[in-house]
Amino acid sequence: MSEKQQIIAEMIQLQKTFIDYEHQNGVDPSDYFNPEAGHTLDGFRQKYQELANRLVDMAHEEKGSRR
């Protein structure tokens, strides 16, 4: 599996985790934007953003463009 495919698979897994949590508990904005340490969503936004940025960077590398 290529790095791009691995990143996309990880992003999809993060989305599934978020959706499952939301369906079971609902999501308060503070849970999403400022979760307590150990919370299911702790680090979620940062990790997802990191993966998304890596995909964008890879796309630019492939096309020889820049941000």
Side-chain angles (χ1 to χ4, degrees):
M1 183 181 294
S2 72
E3 180 184 3
K4 188 188 304 183
Q5 290 172 324
Q6 290 174 343
I7 291 170
I8 292 169
E10 190 171 350
M11 290 175 75
I12 291 170
Q13 185 57 48
L14 284 169
Q15 289 173 345
K16 287 179 181 180
T17 299
F18 179 86
I19 291 167
D20 289 344
Y21 180 84
E22 180 185 31
H23 286 184
Q24 293 173 9
N25 306 296
V27 175
D28 186 273
S30 64
D31 292 339
Y32 182 74
F33 290 104
N34 193 24
E36 294 180 13
H39 190 282
T40 302
L41 299 178
D42 185 22
F44 174 85
R45 279 187 326 113
Q46 296 82 355
K47 181 64 176 177
Y48 196 87
Q49 186 65 49
E50 173 187 307
L51 293 170
N53 284 336
R54 180 63 188 129
L55 276 180
V56 170
D57 291 342
M58 291 172 72
H60 281 292
E61 289 171 13
E62 286 177 10
K63 294 298 180 183
S65 60
R66 58 188 172 140
R67 282 184 175 221

